[in-house]
Amino acid sequence: VPQVLYQHKVEYYGEFARQVGLMGPLTTRSEITIREPEEQAAAQLLNVEGQNASRWIILAPGSSPVEIHKRWPAVRYRNLIERLGSLDSALRIALFGSPSEMPLLKELAAFIPSGRGRIIAQPNIELSLALLRRAALLVCGCTGAGHLGALAGIRILGIYGPTNPSVTAPFTPHFRLLRQNYACAPCYRPGFEHGCGTPVCMTDITVDQVMFAIQAVLRDEPAQKMPQLATTKATYPVRNTGVA
């Protein structure tokens, strides 16, 4: 039986809006206007001026509490922070999440070199967008942080496993996908929201792979075209080789 390819949710729902004349052709360009007080507060918090992207790299390690299997392991984020800290003394690292994720953010913040990082856990969405748009890059999984990054127009490195980026990736041309090309992934579907219990599609992604992708983004290298993936019916891990 051939696998069915899926349409991005924005395009899927956008088609309804087009059919009833509520909108024209879809665009992936962000057109978010942020008020001046939030702009000034963001510039002060990150110590940057104007709209220029700084050397801030933002990491969003969390997820919904019921979708922890979609996270890249916290220990990998810790190792990534240590690698980034030694890569370039000009780099700054921010940990981004909701106020409810503060324990995780504080745990990881302890590994950021002194004076070179901060935690961003703002309940103010507009301020969060203003902070994101001033950074060089956002690294995240399949979470709301990525969609905020798309609205802010920031470059995004998405670490994906169970979920299908063809359907739910941030709707932006500034998205770079990193995933293991495993036969069992993506598997996230109705009735299988909590995964197989052994998400090797996430845990097998190495710090070296993420560092390589980050450096490619910082060098302004173009990303590969988003693959058209089919959601599988897998219920257990099936590894194979290669990274897409």
Side-chain angles (χ1 to χ4, degrees), residues 37-50 127 130-131 134:
E38 280 71 23
E39 294 281 20
Q40 293 179 357
Q44 184 175 8
L45 284 169
L46 296 184
N47 193 26
V48 296
E49 297 180 357
L127 178 55
L131 289 163
R134 282 172 166 77

Side-chain angles (χ1 to χ4, degrees), residues 59-65 67-74 77 95-98 100-102 104-105 108 139-146 159 202:
L59 310 179
S63 70
S64 162
E67 296 181 326
I68 293 177
H69 66 293
K70 292 165 54 175
R71 297 182 183 182
W72 196 45
Y77 275 107
L95 292 163
F96 184 89
S98 68
S100 65
E101 293 170 344
M102 281 297 291
L104 173 61
L105 303 181
L108 293 174
V139 180
C140 62
C142 180
T143 68
I159 305 174
M202 294 298 290

Side-chain angles (χ1 to χ4, degrees), residues 36-224:
E36 187 60 27
E38 280 71 23
E39 294 281 20
Q40 293 179 357
Q44 184 175 8
L45 284 169
L46 296 184
N47 193 26
V48 296
E49 297 180 357
Q51 297 298 322
N52 294 328
S54 72
R55 296 296 286 176
W56 282 92
I57 292 179
I58 297 182
L59 310 179
S63 70
S64 162
V66 298
E67 296 181 326
I68 293 177
H69 66 293
K70 292 165 54 175
R71 297 182 183 182
W72 196 45
V75 66
R76 299 286 174 83
Y77 275 107
R78 169 185 168 177
N79 295 337
L80 177 64
I81 289 168
E82 293 172 336
R83 292 276 296 275
L84 289 171
S86 62
L87 177 66
D88 183 347
S89 62
L91 284 177
R92 300 292 182 266
I93 302 167
L95 292 163
F96 184 89
S98 68
S100 65
E101 293 170 344
M102 281 297 291
L104 173 61
L105 303 181
K106 287 182 176 179
E107 175 189 341
L108 293 174
F111 299 96
I112 299 176
S114 178
R116 293 175 54 189
R118 69 171 301 111
I119 291 174
I120 300 173
Q122 290 288 337
N124 183 332
I125 298 299
E126 193 172 359
L127 178 55
S128 294
L129 290 169
L131 289 163
L132 285 168
R133 69 192 293 182
R134 282 172 166 77
L137 171 66
L138 168 65
V139 180
C140 62
C142 180
T143 68
H147 301 295
L148 286 175
L151 288 175
I154 188 176
R155 295 179 293 184
I156 302 167
L157 173 61
I159 305 174
Y160 273 62
T163 50
N164 192 336
S166 302
V167 179
T168 61
F171 198 66
T172 170
H174 307 302
F175 178 75
R176 180 183 294 263
L177 174 66
L178 179 62
R179 64 183 291 270
Q180 294 284 23
N181 190 27
Y182 285 172
C184 56
C187 66
Y188 188 92
R189 60 189 185 271
F192 201 66
E193 291 87 352
H194 302 290
C196 67
T198 311
V200 296
C201 55
M202 294 298 290
T203 59
D204 281 1
I205 295 174
T206 68
V207 176
D208 282 343
Q209 289 170 334
V210 176
M211 280 293 298
F212 181 84
I214 288 174
Q215 290 173 290
V217 173
L218 296 179
R219 291 192 298 264
D220 293 320
E221 295 181 7
Q224 292 183 347

